Amino acid sequence: MAPSLPSPPPRVRVAAYVIRRHPSPALLVFDHVDFPEAGTQVPAGGVAPGEDPERAVLREVAEETGLTEARVVRRIAVDGRPHPGTGRPRLTTYLLLDAPPDGPVEWEHRARGDGEDAGMRFACRFAPLPLAHPLADAQDAHVGRVDPRWVARGEAAGRPEEARPLR
């Protein structure tokens, strides 16, 4: 029997719940213009070595949406679900951010820089809460930890088992 290989370390990630509270609560989401099959998502991505989650989430929000005025409020949960396509381990910290009350409700953003998102086009919008449809990769699983009224009907039981809230 061959020795088993050690499993790779989890990819460390962040995901952003950017909330605009006026005139009514809405969550910043986007769709990949060139890859609609990816589904509607919140800003999310990898954390660089030595980078703290708060800095990483602000960077990801700016890269994927162009929004630079969001403010980190707190960490919400750490989610240990593997990647749905590859099964590779991930550890995603979900953070709550406040968005400024003004600005557009919908816009298109093209990612700059030389990262993996460079050149991608994102159709961004603030979606009213509770959401009308689930997000890709169950990214909406922790919205109810911010405000229980924001959980779409029938989704309260769909929280990932491998997630723990942060207090």
Side-chain angles (χ1 to χ4, degrees):
M1 181 173 185
S4 63
L5 297 173
S7 60
R11 180 171 180 228
V12 178
R13 305 179 73 247
V14 291
Y17 287 166
V18 182
I19 306 294
R20 177 180 281 172
R21 297 181 187 273
H22 183 76
S24 59
L27 175 67
L28 177 60
V29 298
F30 66 81
D31 293 291
H32 288 277
V33 174
D34 301 313
F35 304 100
E37 65 277 7
T40 302
Q41 303 175 39
V42 296
V47 176
E51 185 178 35
D52 66 51
E54 288 76 9
R55 181 176 300 277
V57 79
L58 290 170
R59 176 181 48 75
E60 287 295 335
V61 168
E63 286 176 5
E64 294 180 348
T65 71
L67 182 65
T68 59
E69 298 85 24
R71 181 181 62 83
V72 175
V73 176
R74 65 181 171 91
R75 297 180 189 188
I76 300 167
V78 175
D79 191 317
R81 290 177 296 128
H83 187 278
T86 66
R88 298 205 58 172
R90 307 182 291 186
L91 198 60
T92 305
T93 299
Y94 282 76
L95 293 102
L96 173 64
L97 290 80
D98 277 341
D102 51 358
V105 174
E106 295 183 25
W107 67 97
E108 187 172 301
H109 175 72
R110 184 179 296 271
R112 296 184 184 92
D114 56 2
E116 63 185 47
D117 292 343
M120 287 187 173
R121 294 182 304 153
F122 299 93
C124 307
R125 68 185 178 283
F126 280 96
L129 288 165
L131 296 171
H133 304 286
L135 298 177
D137 192 20
Q139 288 183 332
D140 54 320
H142 305 290
V143 169
R145 294 177 187 207
V146 177
D147 189 322
R149 297 171 296 178
W150 296 347
V151 175
R153 284 187 209 130
E155 292 183 22
R159 291 189 182 141
E161 292 179 19
E162 293 187 39
R164 63 183 188 275
L166 296 172
R167 303 245 184 251

Coordinates of all heavy atoms in Angstrom, one line a residue, residues 129-134 140 148-158:
L129 N -32.1 43.5 -0.2 CA -32.1 42.3 0.8 C -33.5 42.2 1.4 O -34.2 43.2 1.6 CB -31.1 42.6 1.9 CG -29.6 42.5 1.4 CD1 -28.7 43.1 2.4 CD2 -29.3 41.0 1.2
P130 N -34.0 41.0 1.6 CA -33.3 39.7 1.3 C -33.2 39.5 -0.2 O -34.0 40.1 -1.0 CB -34.3 38.7 1.9 CG -35.6 39.3 2.0 CD -35.3 40.8 2.1
L131 N -32.2 38.7 -0.6 CA -31.9 38.5 -2.0 C -33.1 37.7 -2.7 O -33.7 36.8 -2.0 CB -30.6 37.7 -2.2 CG -29.4 38.4 -1.7 CD1 -28.2 37.5 -1.7 CD2 -29.1 39.6 -2.6
A132 N -33.4 37.9 -3.9 CA -34.4 37.2 -4.6 C -33.9 35.8 -5.1 O -34.7 34.9 -5.2 CB -34.8 38.0 -5.9
H133 N -32.6 35.7 -5.2 CA -32.0 34.4 -5.7 C -30.7 34.1 -4.9 O -30.0 35.0 -4.6 CB -31.7 34.4 -7.2 CG -32.9 34.8 -8.0 ND1 -33.9 33.9 -8.3 CD2 -33.2 36.0 -8.6 CE1 -34.9 34.6 -9.0 NE2 -34.5 35.8 -9.3
P134 N -30.4 32.8 -4.7 CA -29.2 32.5 -4.1 C -28.0 32.9 -4.9 O -28.1 33.0 -6.1 CB -29.2 31.0 -3.9 CG -30.6 30.5 -4.4 CD -31.2 31.7 -5.0
D140 N -24.1 33.5 -0.1 CA -25.1 34.2 0.7 C -25.4 33.5 2.0 O -26.2 34.0 2.8 CB -26.4 34.5 -0.1 CG -26.9 33.2 -0.7 OD1 -26.2 32.3 -1.2 OD2 -28.2 33.0 -0.6
P148 N -31.0 38.7 10.6 CA -31.9 37.6 10.3 C -33.0 37.9 9.3 O -33.4 37.0 8.6 CB -32.4 37.2 11.6 CG -31.6 37.8 12.6 CD -30.9 39.0 12.0
R149 N -33.4 39.2 9.2 CA -34.4 39.6 8.2 C -33.9 39.5 6.8 O -34.8 39.5 5.9 CB -34.9 41.0 8.5 CG -35.5 41.1 9.9 CD -35.8 42.6 10.2 NE -34.5 43.3 10.3 CZ -34.4 44.6 10.5 NH1 -35.4 45.3 10.6 NH2 -33.2 45.1 10.6
W150 N -32.6 39.3 6.6 CA -32.1 39.3 5.2 C -32.0 37.9 4.6 O -31.6 37.7 3.5 CB -30.7 40.0 5.2 CG -30.8 41.4 5.5 CD1 -31.9 42.2 5.6 CD2 -29.7 42.3 5.8 NE1 -31.5 43.5 5.9 CE2 -30.2 43.6 6.1 CE3 -28.3 42.1 5.9 CZ2 -29.3 44.6 6.4 CZ3 -27.5 43.1 6.2 CH2 -28.0 44.4 6.5
V151 N -32.4 36.9 5.4 CA -32.3 35.5 4.9 C -33.6 35.3 4.0 O -34.7 35.5 4.4 CB -32.3 34.5 6.0 CG1 -32.4 33.1 5.5 CG2 -31.1 34.7 6.8
A152 N -33.4 34.9 2.7 CA -34.5 34.6 1.9 C -35.3 33.4 2.4 O -34.7 32.5 3.0 CB -34.0 34.3 0.4
R153 N -36.6 33.4 2.2 CA -37.4 32.3 2.7 C -36.9 31.0 2.2 O -36.5 30.8 1.1 CB -38.8 32.5 2.2 CG -39.6 33.6 2.9 CD -41.0 33.6 2.5 NE -41.5 35.0 2.7 CZ -42.1 35.7 1.8 NH1 -42.4 35.2 0.6 NH2 -42.5 36.9 2.0
G154 N -36.9 30.0 3.1 CA -36.5 28.7 2.7 C -35.0 28.4 2.7 O -34.6 27.4 2.5
E155 N -34.2 29.5 3.0 CA -32.8 29.3 3.0 C -32.1 29.3 4.4 O -31.0 29.1 4.5 CB -32.2 30.4 2.2 CG -32.5 30.4 0.7 CD -31.8 31.4 -0.1 OE1 -30.8 32.0 0.4 OE2 -32.3 31.8 -1.2
A156 N -32.9 29.5 5.4 CA -32.3 29.5 6.8 C -31.6 28.3 7.1 O -30.6 28.3 7.8 CB -33.4 29.9 7.8
A157 N -32.1 27.1 6.6 CA -31.5 25.8 7.0 C -30.3 25.5 6.1 O -29.6 24.5 6.3 CB -32.5 24.7 6.9
G158 N -30.0 26.3 5.1 CA -28.9 26.0 4.2 C -27.6 26.5 4.5 O -26.7 26.6 3.7

